[in-house]
Amino acid sequence: MAETSKARAYAALATAGCLWGTGFLFGKWALRELSVGHMVFYRFLFATIGFAPATIRGLRRRQTRIARRDLPLFFVAALLGIPVQSIIQFAGLARTTVSHASLMVGNLPVLLAAGAAILGHERVTARRWVALVASTLGASLIAVGASQGEAGQAASLSGDLLVAASLLAGVGWILASQRLMMAGRDYPPGRASAYITTIGAAMLAVWVFATEGPPSVHLSALTWISVIAPGILATTVTIYLWNWALVRVPASKAGVFINLEPVVGAILGIVPLGDVLGPYAVFGGLLVIGTAIYVATSADHPAVESRRAEAA
């Protein structure tokens, strides 16, 4: 029975990683008819609808509502994770290819390790700092490949750099969310994600309507699919699957499945869209994914493991 439960957990993690990998492909299709702001607005509108049951259940009970002392941290997490990260990331996607953007996202696990060391005061070994340097080198090779035309005329250095910059906001969002879930309040991962997504979507709506006005509702079927699918499947469903599996699988092993996102994203860019990856981009992508796998699978310092066990 235990083995069956663990197998289901790994299947859930693999499904979540693959669904995350579809985000850039759907985004590229949606950008044919929508601006970056309107596309991101629609995506998180449907994600908020998907999270609505968890949000409503949490708000009904006084003990599971957001405490006043936690409001600033919720707003920081929501601001970084939704408007800031998404707008910058998809502005980069509009200037580069799906394959390049996906491979750049492979830097996230390594950047997260660095962010945890600098902001969270976690101990990071020298080997992990070497992995950070290797991952940065890989990202640089991907960007250089784009500037030399190895990924075709649709890719650009500015687009790759914007996607890379969005990862910094993503690290801040993850660390802020982690702190909320360890704050001693009743914020399990699903409920915390529902609150953060809902608040962030409201912030995004204010920004988009103020700068671009309301989005068009006269869209093609493909565009509607391209905003609904990432909102429900690549945001709401993936977070539920991921959090369900983390109860049954060690986080160090679960982290490996994050790397399905850049792999799937790169494949989807090459096959349906015809992206071309030259040798620099291929080698850089392997460096990014390889170092991310190393960071996800390597054991933490015993002191860090002890603090996690106490928090659990």
Side-chain angles (χ1 to χ4, degrees):
M1 185 66 69
E3 290 299 322
T4 301
S5 177
K6 186 169 290 188
R8 290 177 179 174
Y10 284 128
L13 291 170
T15 301
C18 291
L19 287 175
W20 272 324
T22 65
F24 282 130
L25 175 63
F26 284 122
K28 202 70 169 180
W29 283 337
L31 287 171
R32 294 174 181 175
E33 291 188 50
L34 294 169
S35 67
V36 170
H38 287 160
M39 184 270 291
V40 174
F41 165 76
Y42 270 133
R43 173 174 179 164
F44 283 98
L45 171 65
F46 289 107
T48 301
I49 293 171
F51 277 119
T55 304
I56 294 170
R57 281 197 304 269
L59 293 176
R60 280 178 176 173
R61 300 170 57 203
R62 182 182 178 187
Q63 60 268 36
T64 58
R65 295 173 189 165
I66 300 175
R68 184 175 299 178
R69 70 174 185 272
D70 297 328
L71 275 174
L73 196 54
F74 266 106
F75 276 99
V76 169
L79 178 65
L80 292 176
I82 310 299
V84 175
Q85 181 189 19
S86 299
I87 290 177
I88 294 175
Q89 189 172 91
F90 284 98
L93 176 64
R95 296 167 172 81
T96 191
T97 65
V98 169
S99 297
H100 270 236
S102 299
L103 292 174
M104 297 297 281
V105 170
N107 284 288
L108 182 58
V110 184
L111 290 176
L112 183 57
I118 297 170
L119 301 176
H121 305 292
E122 290 187 9
R123 185 180 184 276
V124 178
T125 64
R127 290 182 179 180
R128 289 200 178 185
W129 284 116
V130 171
L132 174 62
V133 173
S135 184
T136 304
L137 174 61
S140 300
L141 288 173
I142 295 170
V144 168
S147 67
Q148 293 179 348
E150 291 185 350
Q153 295 181 349
S156 72
L157 178 61
S158 63
D160 287 349
L161 292 178
L162 282 171
V163 174
S166 74
L167 300 182
L168 299 177
V171 168
W173 162 56
I174 292 172
L175 293 178
S177 300
Q178 182 186 52
R179 185 172 178 182
L180 280 168
M181 289 184 284
M182 298 174 65
R185 290 278 299 175
D186 189 11
Y187 301 131
R191 186 172 299 126
S193 299
Y195 287 156
I196 290 169
T197 302
T198 302
I199 295 170
M203 292 179 176
L204 178 67
V206 171
W207 169 261
V208 171
F209 276 65
T211 57
E212 301 184 33
S216 173
V217 296
H218 303 291
L219 304 172
S220 66
L222 177 60
T223 301
W224 279 118
I225 292 172
S226 298
V227 293
I228 294 173
I232 299 296
L233 296 178
T235 305
T236 307
V237 172
T238 52
I239 290 176
Y240 278 127
L241 286 173
W242 192 266
N243 292 332
W244 177 83
L246 281 180
V247 179
R248 295 160 176 82
V249 174
S252 60
K253 294 184 178 180
V256 176
F257 291 87
I258 294 176
N259 300 294
L260 285 172
E261 179 182 359
V263 173
V264 171
I267 292 172
L268 289 177
I270 293 170
V271 178
L273 299 181
D275 290 354
V276 178
L277 291 177
Y280 285 121
V282 171
F283 183 66
L286 290 175
L287 270 179
V288 167
I289 295 169
T291 52
I293 291 173
Y294 171 77
V295 169
T297 56
S298 59
D300 285 316
H301 188 264
V304 175
E305 292 287 1
S306 176
R307 286 197 295 271
R308 284 179 178 169
E310 292 173 1

